[in-house]
């Protein structure tokens, strides 16, 4: 036998745009089409929302469920008529099968087809997939990471490294960006790209993100007047109480809000936009600066500049990397810097790895850079040493202390 899990694509949009009555109508019509595709001893059930399951009994081979799945996809991709509105949806299907002699129980079969469904959706919607043992292994591996990530928080395995941000006009360090590291007991340092997406999926990012803000504020007291930037995930905007967390952390550590900068990516502005913008404004009213991270990599970076008065634009390192090698990259960077300047935003170019890139950026009017050419991210204590080591010559300008980087050469590595 086979168990098929089905999930209608774009059902939520129909509900949101045409209303719940239209949604109900669609569910009835879709069920009728599915029923017409089945044999009499197959069983169709609605699991909830726009999810259905089919039990296909006495099949000769898994191929028969592939054939059924293909037919279901075809019949459900034909247009629906909802009170005169033509609507197109689609369906994704996951399949698990049980062979004779196999004693997999119903619940497991349903779980397996659900995992296969997840795989089908990841392949792009409107497709079907059969369950494979590797899907289960991958899920178990993810669960393991989730468990050890929970432990990481309670056992203080998380730490922040900081990358200096250099002012190109004065050759001074203006600030640092906090970058999260997981110092795993046995696996060593794990980079955020390897665990942040998972932390976002399982909700752990909210407590991790709170910790990052508190920890950065705590360590900021060790460095003289530098600004410090913290990356904030879209989930923290949706689930956490970001303004309170930030306000409390600054107050507890007695740090001037002007020193804190929050970096957000386009993902933050993708949904719940009005709420998000009011949160951003509240943060700005506390005196905190807001930077748009990874500028130019998303779908509509430009339109976001119109919706919110960012203090800083961080040009993604993919543009910096191409500097001097292709006219397009040079022109885009130059235009972004000018655009930012005319809107009162500072520009920061990320991923500067060579002196040539730094010089080109300075010529183009870029204010600030970060990159391995100047320094890799390092622990807080090393930031203090770095400031002390760099033949620094403090000079006063507008009542601020500047640390002068004398020879870029000594900063390499
Ligand atoms: P990001 O915010 O764009 O951070 C810049 C990344 O580029 C960092 O990687 C940094 O180490 C790396 N980088 C800096 N200069 C250079 C360079 O010259 N060349 C190259 N090839 N790379 C350079 P990292 O630390 O692995 O962080 C990756 C991403 O993880 C970050 O990208 C950010 O999106 C995310 N992340 C890091 N810490 C946090 C955090 O505390 N919270 C959240 N939500 N996300 C974080
Ligand atoms: Ca960042
Ligand atoms: Ca970035």
């Amino acid at each position: 036998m086979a168990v098929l899990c089905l999930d209608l694509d774009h059902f939520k949009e129909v509900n949101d745009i045409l209303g719940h009555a239209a949604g109900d109508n669609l569910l009835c019509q879709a069920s009728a089409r599915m029923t017409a595709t089945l044999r009499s001893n197959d069983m169709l059930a609605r699991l909830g929302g726009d999810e259905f399951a089919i039990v296909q009994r006495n099949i000769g081979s898994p191929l028969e469920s592939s054939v059924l799945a293909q037919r279901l996809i075809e019949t459900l991709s034909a247009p629906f008529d909802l009170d005169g509105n033509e609507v197109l949806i689609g369906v994704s299907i996951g399949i698990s099968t049980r062979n004779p002699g196999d004693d997999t129980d119903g619940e497991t079969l349903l779980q397996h087809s659900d995992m296969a469904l997840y795989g089908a959706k990841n392949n792009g919607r409107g497709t079907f997939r059969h369950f494979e043992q590797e899907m289960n292994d991958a899920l178990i591996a993810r669960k393991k990471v989730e468990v050890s990530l929970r432990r990481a928080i309670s056992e203080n395995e998380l730490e922040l490294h900081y990358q200096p941000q250099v002012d190109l006009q004065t050759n001074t360090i203006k600030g640092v960006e906090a970058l999260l590291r997981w110092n795993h007991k046995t696996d060593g340092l794990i980079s955020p790209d390897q665990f942040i997406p998972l932390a976002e999926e399982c909700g752990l990012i909210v407590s991790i993100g709170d910790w990052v803000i508190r920890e950065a504020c705590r360590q900021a007291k060790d460095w003289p007047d530098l600004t410090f930037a913290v990356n904030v995930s879209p989930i923290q905007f949706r689930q956490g109480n970001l303004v309170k967390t930030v306000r409390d952390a600054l107050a507890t550590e007695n740090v001037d809000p002007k020193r804190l900068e929050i970096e957000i990516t386009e993902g933050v502005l993708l949904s719940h936009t009005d709420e998000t913008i009011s949160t951003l404004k509240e943060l700005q009213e506390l005196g905190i600066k807001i930077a748009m991270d990874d500028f130019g990599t998303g779908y509509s970076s430009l339109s976001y500049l119109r919706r919110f008065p960012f203090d800083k634009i961080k040009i993604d390192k993919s543009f910096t990397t191409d500097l001097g090698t292709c006219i397009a990259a040079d022109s885009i960077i130059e235009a972004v810097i000018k655009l930012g300047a005319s809107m009162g935003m500072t520009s920061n170019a990320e991923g500067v790895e060579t002196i040539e890139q730094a010089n080109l950026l300075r010529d183009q009017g870029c204010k600030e850079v970060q990159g391995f050419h100047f320094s890799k991210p390092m622990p807080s204590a090393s930031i203090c040493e770095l400031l002390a080591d760099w033949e620094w010559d403090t000079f006063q300008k507008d009542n601020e202390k500047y640390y002068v980087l004398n020879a870029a050469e000594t900063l390499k590595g």
Side-chain angles (χ1 to χ4, degrees), residues 295 299-308:
F295 187 81
Y299 292 105
S300 40
S301 304
L302 276 180
S303 79
Y304 291 124
L305 291 187
R306 202 175 50 180
R307 305 189 74 162
F308 183 76

Side-chain angles (χ1 to χ4, degrees), residues 87-104:
V87 170
L88 282 172
I89 57 163
V91 66
S92 304
I93 305 176
I95 309 169
S96 66
T97 48
R98 187 168 76 173
N99 303 319
D102 176 352
D103 61 356
T104 316

Side-chain angles (χ1 to χ4, degrees), residues 50-115:
D50 57 354
E51 284 183 38
F52 294 84
I54 290 169
V55 178
Q56 196 186 14
R57 294 198 188 88
N58 302 322
I59 52 168
S61 82
L63 191 64
E64 282 182 40
S65 36
S66 303
V67 172
L68 173 61
Q70 194 52 49
R71 259 198 251 128
L72 288 163
I73 290 171
E74 274 157 26
T75 174
L76 291 172
S77 60
F80 287 85
D81 178 2
L82 302 180
D83 293 323
N85 293 302
E86 188 184 276
V87 170
L88 282 172
I89 57 163
V91 66
S92 304
I93 305 176
I95 309 169
S96 66
T97 48
R98 187 168 76 173
N99 303 319
D102 176 352
D103 61 356
T104 316
D105 62 21
E107 191 148 344
T108 310
L109 279 173
L110 205 53
Q111 263 174 15
H112 286 178
S113 48
D114 207 41
M115 277 182 229

Side-chain angles (χ1 to χ4, degrees), residues 268-320:
V268 170
L269 290 168
L270 275 180
S271 56
H272 307 286
T273 322
D274 291 340
E275 257 176 279
T276 309
I277 288 184
S278 72
T279 306
L280 287 170
K281 291 209 163 121
E282 269 183 78
L283 290 167
Q284 253 177 353
E285 277 156 20
L286 293 178
I288 292 159
K289 299 203 174 50
I290 310 288
M292 160 127 244
D293 205 354
D294 303 341
F295 187 81
T297 56
Y299 292 105
S300 40
S301 304
L302 276 180
S303 79
Y304 291 124
L305 291 187
R306 202 175 50 180
R307 305 189 74 162
F308 183 76
F310 289 94
D311 298 285
K312 187 184 277 185
I313 304 178
K314 297 192 74 178
I315 302 168
D316 189 69
K317 67 168 168 279
S318 55
F319 294 100
T320 310

Side-chain angles (χ1 to χ4, degrees), residues 1 42 89 94 124 157 173 175 202 221 238 257 282 368 401:
M1 64 180 274
D42 296 336
I89 57 163
E157 287 182 6
I173 299 185
C202 65
K221 285 183 307 188
R238 263 163 249 159
E282 269 183 78
E368 182 186 293
K401 229 187 201 175

